[in-house]
Amino acid sequence: MHATGEDAAAFVGAWERLTGQAPTVKMRQRIYACSSVVGPAAVAGSLRPAAESDRELLVGWYIGFMSEALGEDEPEEARRIVEARLRDASDASGLRIWEDADGAPATMVGFGLPTPHGIGIAPVWTPPERRRQGFGSAATAASTTELLEAGRSFVFLITDLENPTANRTYQAIGYGAVCDAEQWEFAEPAINPS
């Protein structure tokens, strides 16, 4: 089913009328797709598959991503996701690490959610002390290129519209806007036993 903004507004209105509770927008997002990478500025380093020896680093980074980007504090969920992606790494799901020129890990890029013709990139996360050096752009461009060369027609990703840096970064490497979306948060309705 394809829902329009009007469909969402109608559902939200009905929810509020029936429950007496007003849902809130949790996040406004933009969906992007790329079928041809425009190389970012040259950044020293390289992309490599994540290894079992990276587990604790990746768990820490995933916790950081979930906290910063999603407002969630769920370390066990972060561990579960990282362990699953390391265990089930394939051409349909995995994690990559961008290493700087000295071989030090600088950025994490995940991919998954395959469709018949595409695949998604998520998450992309650089620790705060490594930001503004181009590692996230380089890692995203390299991962996107890798996925396209593996036979995908396009690669997609979703951004938070409140993060202008990410939106600019992805457009600069060849991602084009497809549509906008909203995540709504609904409180559980009170159950009336009568």
Side-chain angles (χ1 to χ4, degrees):
M1 179 177 117
H2 176 75
T4 65
E6 292 84 21
D7 294 332
F11 181 84
V12 166
W15 177 271
E16 190 168 358
R17 282 189 306 282
L18 291 171
T19 67
Q21 297 173 345
T24 57
V25 176
K26 183 176 179 182
M27 185 183 303
R28 287 183 168 79
Q29 301 172 304
R30 181 157 291 149
I31 301 171
Y32 289 93
C34 179
S35 57
S36 178
V37 174
V38 177
V43 175
S46 61
L47 188 71
R48 68 166 175 83
E52 184 62 35
S53 60
D54 299 310
R55 176 188 303 260
E56 294 309 313
L57 172 71
L58 291 167
V59 169
W61 283 3
Y62 220 103
I63 289 169
F65 165 77
M66 290 176 73
S67 173
E68 185 178 337
L70 306 175
E72 297 175 0
D73 180 24
E74 299 185 31
E76 290 308 312
E77 178 67 4
R79 179 170 296 282
R80 186 195 67 72
I81 292 168
V82 168
E83 289 175 354
R85 284 197 167 183
L86 287 172
R87 180 184 59 248
D88 303 329
S90 67
D91 64 347
S93 176
L95 290 167
R96 300 288 186 260
I97 293 176
W98 182 270
E99 292 182 337
D100 66 16
D102 297 324
T107 295
M108 163 183 73
V109 178
F111 64 94
L113 303 171
T115 69
H117 303 287
I119 193 163
I121 284 189
V124 177
W125 196 75
T126 304
E129 67 276 8
R130 304 302 309 262
R131 293 181 184 166
R132 295 180 186 23
Q133 300 174 58
F135 298 131
S137 294
T140 304
S143 294
T144 302
T145 298
E146 180 183 280
L147 294 164
L148 291 171
E149 289 177 351
R152 302 290 177 178
S153 299
F154 62 91
V155 179
F156 61 91
L157 51 80
I158 303 170
T159 65
D160 179 350
L161 284 172
E162 298 291 318
N163 184 342
T165 301
N167 286 276
R168 275 192 313 272
T169 297
Y170 299 133
Q171 290 177 69
I173 60 176
Y175 279 84
V178 175
C179 66
D180 288 352
E182 293 176 337
Q183 281 188 17
W184 285 82
E185 197 165 64
F186 295 85
E188 289 189 38
I191 299 175
N192 186 347
S194 56

